[in-house]
Amino acid sequence: MAPTREFNISLASLCVMASEQRNAERTDPGVAAASLGHDRPDVAAYRALATDLRDAVDGGVEFDEYAQVLYATDGSIYRARPAGVVFPTDAADVRAAVRTAADHDVPILPRGAGSSLAGQAVGPGCVVLDLSRHMDDIVDVDADDRRATVQPGVVQDHLDARLAEDGLKFAPDPASSNRATVGGGIGNNSTGAHSVRYGITDAYTEELRVVLTDGSLIHTREVVLDSPEWEGLVSGDDLEARIYRTVRALVEDNAEEIGARYPTLKRSVSGYNLHKVVSENDDGDRTINLSKLFVGSEGTLGTVVEATVSLVTKPAETALALYCFEDLVAAMEAVPEALEFETSAVELMDDEVFRLARESEGFAEYARPIPDRAAAALMLEFDSELHDDFEAAIEATNAHFVEQGAAFDVIEAYDDAAQADLWSLRKAAIPLLMSLEGDPKPYPFIEDATVPPEELAEYVQKFEDVLEAHGTSAAYFAHAGSGTLHIRPILNLKDEQGIETMHSITEDVTDLVLEHHGSFSGEHGDGMARTEFNPKMYGDQLWGAFKELKTAFDPDWLFHPGNVVYRDGPDDVGPDSDRGVGADMREHLRYGADYQSLEPQTALDFTEEGGFSQLVELCNGCGTCRQSDSNTMCPTYRASEEEIQTTRGRANLLRAAISGDLPEEELQSERFKEEVLDLCIGCKGCANDCPTGVDMAKLKTEVKHHYHEEEGADLRERLFAHIDTASRIGSALAPLSNLATSIPGSRAVMERAVGIAPDRELPTFTRHTLVDWFEARGGCQLAPSAADDQVLLFPDTYTNYSYPGPGKAAVEVLEAAGVYVDIPTDLAPSGRAAYSKGFLDLARDRAERNVETLFDRVRDGWSVVFVEPSDAVMFQDEYRDLLSGTRVETVSDASYGVMEFLDAHRLDERLSTREHGRSLTYHGHCNQKATNKDHHAVGVLRRSGYAVDPIDSGCCGMAGSFGYEAEHYDLSQAIGRILFDQIDDSDGDRVTAPGGSCRSQIGDRPGEQQPPHPVESLRDVLD
């Protein structure tokens, strides 16, 4: 997880550490969903295949229905159940899996992160080879030669973090680089915002090691034609020799057609790279490099198990200039001119993106500088390898575009923070568009067609005519400098007419692209979305060459059949079957005209999300929940690397359960509850980090509520839901209650009776509660007349009965800031524990009591302040889902975490603190991060003189009761170790954390003491 801190540890060393940690966790079966012990029967049709695969490979083999559902989708509009999934550990496993699948005549599909947008990471009835879990090593980095050798499953950001140590990077930079794998990028021929400067993946793929359809392993590299090396390769009669001979013949026999048909663009990733496989090297020799052919082949020719890629130097600095236009076409007309100024990126955004950003709580701050009358904006990036003087470079473009051109304003950004804000606005386009309410959505299917930049303006005008003719609209954004605009028409793909409109638009747009000498795909590939139209782009002769090429590599069309190229019928080249016959973008849709889902009666209010099923369906499969180096989402995936433990995996299984893709009773099954729901720890990270805002914690709570109503709840769940009662009794019986767990055998009894992990340190109870302390001191020590503000400090369960220290500190700090404090004694628990366990009736009862008790005082000007972040967020967020009306809104609006209250009202500026020179490592609370309230503590602590290192950490792994549960203990510890490593890497003198669970998890480390709450750290430096 990448830190954002003053002390700035090496991101590279952090990623290496994280990789080593992940490798260690893989050997721990306790982190896997399978450790919960549920049967996972193989789907009957593939049982024999699954058995043979388990005998053949060392890695995992999953052929049950859950595995099929989890790997049936990617980031596209498509869904197709595979046969099952294999998790190879090395090249030998891949070879064995390919041979075994071939023996059973079952197709094969290699897959990385599954973030593909055209459907190329899904395949009906395929054996999926998930190369991301185990085969993710950086094998070698040769900084002098500027080359790196990697396994296909390495995440690109992890590779770039390692390369940054040597001032290098892998040039292609897709927006999904924080979870996308290098192998997936090779399969797709990926690129990103900087393609105007660096080009695409095929330019940097030098050598590959590839498993072919017969299980053989070949090494592709540059080979001089007719050299001794060439003669050695083609002299045999094995599959590799036949491939080399066929490829050379196809290139030479079709040379004229290749020259005529392939677009001369920086980005063109449709079809096979016949135009790049044979070239002339620096010595003037004609060479062949099959690596270039595997790039962009989408797994249809073989499975890459190792890649050697060339690297570029990383510019030390960059600057941005964003030019605002009153007309979209005028912005398009400016693109070719922008390319004349040695830019490293030229990106476009239109007014629809700006509008949605302004209306979004998460993105409004980034759109604030954009003038209201801007219909479009071009963002130009300049880097220090091309420009010595950024201000001079931007002065020149200002003169051209503003003073002499059609732009009416410019926003300049020179520092990292300002540039990050503009990039955040640009990258917000897709999540903002995909979060539109209702079934019509801006779907990707012709979203990355590419034309020459000089034809872009005319192309956009004609594209708008196509949309108007079909009665829809779209937003325009992305890589204008390379002629690639991500244009997503808004359609309802649950409707037959919407599906046919999609096909008709694609027909018209592909005609338009050909008219403008473009490519149907400039970035996202063919897949299920565009393979159908490749014959139109390449013509009969090259289409025939593609089929001959595919058959030479894969005689039985076992590798991902029907993608990139398809057979016209069973009698066409290829096997004596219908495998790979035909391609139709309307088939295998994730939704489709026959899709139906249940809309259950819910205990929580899902109005804002459009309903329960709409919230589930907001997951578009992009896989952001698989990123592991920043933000919060998704803690359990980071420790296990299992798809079922991602937000996407849980959403896929929920969607399958409510749409009939899984049996109707599955939603109420023990396995679904324990593997899908209970392994979501309720951190709420997805509510903020997921691009479309899939709030899995809310969905989980609702489903668990229904489960309790249907199946009941066990003793442990009831115990934790009523933890306030247990804590009150424990406090009343202290210190005897604290000694009970030290009786020999008591922990074993607790494990057997209620499933409490025997190795977990249990909280102790104090007989003298926070409320007792407050009453004993005579209440607030500040006279009401001397106070500027007045607050009700909520006595949460943990602070009141177990660890009053932060509560005492909160009282003392608030009083020092001139705030009158009262601690009410007539409140119910917040309901957080009950809510987390799915006891929504109990949570609602407690919410109603608290709102009724607090409303009058809040209306009279009191604020409600919390020491425990999860309780603060319960009032601020979940109460609005449990209750409705002005009373709950009034109380919710007046609720604050204690550090939030101090910061929001700048009350800490009233405090007098002494010089101390101390530093802190700050670990924020997941719930506050999810609601964008985590930053307050850092600001207050810094103003009080601390040097604060706010580590970019995820969940601590304790997550309320989760870390106490025996079956979750190993996973809790694995999540915790990720945090511990970040803490150890920080330079802070001491850790501080607002969450009680977080402080317990950190304090349970051998030799560690429980860290202070930030308000305690603040109290400690008061004069």
Side-chain angles (χ1 to χ4, degrees):
M1 287 172 278
T4 54
R5 52 177 70 168
E6 288 181 349
F7 300 108
N8 231 353
I9 69 164
S10 163
L11 177 60
S13 64
L14 186 61
C15 286
V16 170
M17 171 272 293
S19 178
E20 291 171 350
Q21 183 69 55
R22 288 192 300 271
N23 288 332
E25 303 302 351
R26 292 177 191 136
T27 65
D28 180 1
V31 306
S35 68
L36 298 173
H38 293 285
D39 290 335
R40 295 180 162 198
D42 297 327
V43 172
Y46 300 106
R47 193 169 294 146
L49 170 59
T51 298
D52 288 350
L53 282 167
R54 291 189 181 99
D55 290 338
V57 304
D58 292 331
V61 176
E62 297 180 7
F63 272 64
D64 62 294
E65 274 206 296
Y66 280 24
Q68 289 184 336
V69 169
L70 289 167
Y71 285 84
T73 59
D74 54 8
S76 73
I77 61 177
Y78 294 99
R79 175 176 60 87
R81 277 204 188 192
V85 190
V86 177
F87 303 93
T89 60
D90 53 24
D93 263 6
V94 174
R95 298 179 71 181
V98 168
R99 287 174 177 144
T100 304
D103 288 344
H104 285 261
D105 199 34
V106 174
I108 303 139
L109 169 61
R111 172 169 162 143
S115 56
S116 311
L117 290 172
Q120 57 266 63
V122 297
C126 289
V127 173
V128 174
L129 304 179
D130 184 342
L131 302 169
S132 69
R133 184 177 296 180
H134 301 297
M135 297 183 65
D136 62 350
D137 287 342
I138 299 172
V139 178
D140 180 62
V141 174
D142 186 339
D144 293 332
D145 200 30
R146 294 186 185 173
R147 288 197 174 198
T149 299
V150 301
Q151 290 184 316
V154 67
V155 173
Q156 180 163 335
D157 275 5
H158 297 172
L159 173 61
D160 280 337
R162 165 61 188 87
L163 298 176
E165 294 180 356
D166 297 303
L168 301 171
K169 67 176 183 176
F170 183 51
D173 60 340
S176 57
S177 63
N178 61 359
R179 72 270 189 195
T181 64
V182 174
I186 290 171
N188 195 67
N189 203 359
S190 294
T191 185
H194 294 88
S195 60
V196 296
R197 171 94 150 87
Y198 297 111
I200 59 179
T201 297
D202 58 36
Y204 301 93
T205 305
E206 307 298 342
E207 301 182 21
L208 298 174
R209 296 189 185 273
V210 184
V211 174
L212 299 177
T213 190
D214 63 351
S216 61
L217 179 67
I218 67 170
H219 174 205
T220 66
R221 69 276 189 194
E222 183 180 280
V223 177
V224 176
L225 290 173
D226 301 321
S227 67
E229 184 180 16
W230 164 261
E231 296 300 336
L233 284 169
V234 300
S235 60
D237 194 34
D238 58 3
L239 182 57
E240 181 181 23
R242 294 196 296 274
I243 288 170
Y244 270 106
R245 291 195 297 265
T246 300
V247 170
R248 179 177 185 176
L250 286 173
V251 172
E252 292 178 348
D253 292 347
N254 294 279
E256 185 175 343
E257 191 72 357
I258 289 171
R261 285 281 183 175
Y262 278 85
T264 55
L265 299 166
K266 283 185 176 289
R267 294 166 171 253
S268 178
V269 302
S270 296
Y272 290 124
N273 278 343
L274 282 176
H275 60 317
K276 294 184 177 180
V277 67
V278 174
S279 62
E280 187 175 290
N281 66 15
D282 292 340
D283 297 326
D285 298 318
R286 288 186 72 232
T287 64
I288 187 170
N289 189 341
L290 294 185
S291 305
K292 308 298 182 181
L293 202 53
F294 281 105
V295 177
S297 65
E298 300 182 3
T300 61
L301 303 180
T303 297
V304 174
V305 295
E306 188 175 278
T308 297
V309 296
S310 53
L311 312 170
V312 298
T313 53
K314 183 178 181 180
E317 295 179 312
T318 57
L320 292 175
L322 187 139
Y323 292 96
C324 301
F325 295 81
E326 292 182 303
D327 179 71
L328 174 65
V329 174
M332 296 291 95
E333 290 172 341
V335 170
E337 301 165 16
L339 297 174
E340 297 174 5
F341 288 91
E342 290 193 298
T343 50
S344 50
V346 179
E347 298 288 290
L348 173 84
M349 293 169 277
D350 76 348
D351 54 358
E352 182 67 5
V353 174
F354 301 147
R355 181 186 69 80
L356 291 170
R358 291 187 184 104
E359 295 173 358
S360 165
E361 182 178 341
F363 296 105
E365 63 177 299
Y366 306 129
R368 198 166 291 121
I370 308 298
D372 290 340
R373 62 191 178 106
L378 280 183
M379 187 169 73
L380 279 57
E381 184 187 79
F382 305 85
D383 71 54
S384 55
E385 293 186 346
L386 297 176
H387 298 275
D388 296 327
D389 186 338
F390 288 146
E391 291 188 1
I394 292 177
E395 184 179 341
T397 51
N398 287 350
H400 184 84
F401 292 114
V402 180
E403 297 170 19
Q404 303 163 18
F408 68 86
D409 198 4
V410 60
I411 298 169
E412 301 176 14
Y414 297 97
D415 63 78
D416 291 344
Q419 291 183 65
D421 285 351
L422 290 179
W423 277 114
S424 294
L425 179 62
R426 158 59 191 89
K427 292 180 179 181
I430 290 178
L432 287 169
L433 291 166
M434 290 306 295
S435 61
L436 290 175
E437 293 183 8
D439 288 332
K441 291 282 192 295
Y443 287 113
F445 57 95
I446 43 85
E447 83 291 346
D448 72 329
T450 301
V451 300
E454 60 272 17
E455 300 186 37
L456 198 55
E458 183 181 350
Y459 168 74
V460 166
Q461 293 178 75
K462 293 181 179 178
F463 199 116
E464 289 189 318
D465 292 340
V466 171
L467 295 177
E468 184 178 351
H470 289 88
T472 188
S473 61
Y476 296 79
F477 62 97
H479 318 301
S482 54
T484 304
L485 289 183
H486 293 334
I487 308 174
R488 296 187 172 200
I490 298 173
L491 297 171
N492 181 4
L493 296 186
K494 295 180 181 178
D495 176 78
E496 189 66 43
Q497 182 178 350
I499 295 168
E500 291 305 317
T501 299
M502 173 183 71
H503 193 263
S504 180
I505 288 174
T506 308
E507 287 281 13
D508 290 349
V509 169
T510 50
D511 288 343
L512 182 60
V513 170
L514 288 182
E515 178 185 332
H516 286 276
H517 315 99
S519 171
F520 297 167
S521 175
E523 182 173 11
H524 298 154
D526 295 324
M528 293 182 173
R530 287 178 282 272
T531 293
E532 173 187 354
F533 300 95
N534 274 342
K536 179 192 288 190
M537 179 169 172
Y538 289 105
D540 292 341
Q541 182 175 331
L542 288 184
W543 184 243
F546 284 178
K547 289 188 284 187
E548 189 175 345
L549 176 77
K550 165 70 173 173
T551 306
F553 277 85
D554 184 12
D556 293 320
W557 285 55
L558 286 170
F559 276 120
H560 205 186
N563 278 258
V564 182
V565 65
Y566 61 85
R567 302 166 64 213
D568 295 321
D571 297 329
D572 204 347
V573 295
D576 186 17
S577 70
D578 61 358
R579 184 183 299 127
V581 171
D584 189 330
M585 71 179 303
R586 295 164 290 190
E587 295 178 353
H588 301 297
L589 292 172
R590 183 183 301 196
Y591 299 113
D594 296 330
Y595 177 87
Q596 291 183 327
S597 64
L598 300 172
E599 185 56 51
Q601 290 291 108
T602 60
L604 296 173
D605 183 4
F606 285 86
T607 303
E608 187 174 334
E609 296 88 353
F612 179 92
S613 62
Q614 283 286 327
L615 180 55
V616 173
E617 292 167 9
L618 273 180
C619 176
N620 61 17
C622 66
T624 303
C625 44
R626 290 174 61 102
Q627 62 92 17
S628 60
D629 295 322
S630 62
N631 298 325
T632 302
M633 178 179 70
C634 182
T636 51
Y637 171 76
R638 295 182 183 195
S640 69
E641 294 199 340
E642 290 190 308
E643 181 69 19
I644 196 172
Q645 298 196 51
T646 63
T647 304
R648 175 175 72 178
R650 295 180 181 111
N652 276 333
L653 286 163
L654 273 173
R655 188 182 63 252
I658 65 175
S659 66
D661 196 28
L662 285 173
E664 183 178 349
E665 64 275 9
E666 192 62 34
L667 197 62
Q668 303 298 331
S669 71
E670 279 289 314
R671 183 185 176 191
F672 198 94
K673 180 179 83 75
E674 294 185 5
E675 291 191 7
V676 181
L677 302 179
D678 287 351
L679 291 183
C680 167
I681 60 179
C683 69
K684 294 175 66 69
C686 48
N688 187 62
D689 298 343
C690 171
T692 54
V694 176
D695 188 346
M696 187 53 60
K698 183 176 180 179
L699 291 166
K700 164 202 169 176
T701 298
E702 182 68 43
V703 177
K704 287 209 67 174
H705 168 74
H706 288 275
Y707 182 89
H708 292 329
E709 288 192 326
E710 295 289 330
E711 306 294 334
D714 61 33
L715 176 61
R716 187 183 67 190
E717 288 181 308
R718 293 185 182 278
L719 171 66
F720 282 127
H722 292 273
I723 195 63
D724 53 291
T725 302
S727 297
R728 185 172 65 250
I729 295 170
S731 173
L733 297 177
L736 292 177
S737 54
N738 297 327
L739 299 175
T741 58
S742 63
I743 298 172
S746 62
R747 296 305 301 272
V749 171
M750 291 180 67
E751 182 180 18
R752 287 194 299 270
V754 289
I756 302 297
D759 296 325
R760 173 66 71 186
E761 290 289 327
L762 298 179
T764 57
F765 301 104
T766 178
R767 192 174 187 88
H768 196 60
T769 66
L770 174 65
V771 170
D772 293 339
W773 169 84
F774 189 71
E775 291 177 349
R777 78 196 287 262
C780 186
Q781 301 300 293
L782 189 68
S785 59
D788 298 310
D789 298 277
Q790 51 190 0
V791 304
L792 302 169
L793 185 66
F794 185 86
D796 69 85
T797 299
Y798 182 69
T799 304
N800 193 35
Y801 296 118
S802 290
Y803 193 60
K808 297 176 183 179
V811 171
E812 293 164 0
V813 167
L814 288 166
E815 289 177 346
V819 179
Y820 186 84
V821 182
D822 189 17
I823 300 182
T825 58
D826 54 350
L827 295 174
S830 72
R832 167 60 69 192
Y835 181 93
S836 297
K837 287 298 178 184
F839 293 88
L840 294 182
D841 292 337
L842 177 60
R844 181 177 295 104
D845 288 345
R846 292 178 169 177
E848 286 176 342
R849 175 177 164 183
N850 288 334
V851 169
E852 289 304 311
T853 303
L854 293 168
F855 175 73
D856 287 339
R857 297 186 74 177
V858 168
R859 188 175 53 182
D860 290 340
W862 291 75
S863 298
V864 188
V865 171
F866 299 80
V867 169
E868 175 55 43
S870 62
D871 290 303
V873 174
M874 185 72 188
F875 271 66
Q876 293 167 332
D877 187 26
E878 281 87 355
Y879 272 22
R880 296 174 184 265
D881 292 328
L882 287 164
L883 307 174
S884 61
T886 57
R887 286 178 172 260
V888 67
E889 291 173 4
T890 299
V891 172
S892 180
D893 288 343
S895 299
Y896 301 86
V898 61
M899 303 303 283
E900 176 191 1
F901 183 76
L902 292 168
D903 187 46
H905 300 287
R906 282 297 193 267
L907 301 182
D908 60 296
E909 294 175 358
R910 303 175 185 171
L911 300 174
S912 176
T913 58
R914 64 180 181 272
E915 294 288 334
H916 55 84
R918 300 177 188 175
S919 62
L920 292 170
T921 296
Y922 176 75
H923 165 63
H925 194 279
C926 299
N927 289 175
Q928 288 187 318
K929 291 178 182 177
T931 51
N932 297 307
K933 298 179 183 295
D934 179 54
H935 61 282
H936 296 289
V938 176
V940 171
L941 290 171
R942 283 176 173 165
R943 290 194 295 273
S944 69
Y946 284 103
V948 184
D949 179 4
I951 56 176
D952 192 0
S953 51
C955 180
C956 70
M958 183 65 84
S961 65
F962 184 84
Y964 292 103
E965 295 162 357
E967 71 274 22
H968 298 146
Y969 177 75
D970 288 342
L971 181 55
S972 169
Q973 289 293 92
I975 297 170
R977 284 191 288 272
I978 298 171
L979 170 62
F980 302 158
D981 287 336
Q982 289 181 282
I983 290 172
D984 292 344
D985 255 332
S986 171
D987 291 335
D989 298 332
R990 192 175 187 186
V991 185
T992 185
S997 291
C998 305
R999 298 197 303 274
S1000 296
Q1001 178 83 307
I1002 296 167
D1004 283 353
R1005 297 178 73 186
E1008 291 285 341
Q1009 293 182 334
Q1010 186 165 128
H1013 188 289
V1015 78
E1016 292 180 285
S1017 298
L1018 180 59
R1019 187 269 318 276
D1020 290 346
V1021 296
L1022 293 180
D1023 274 339

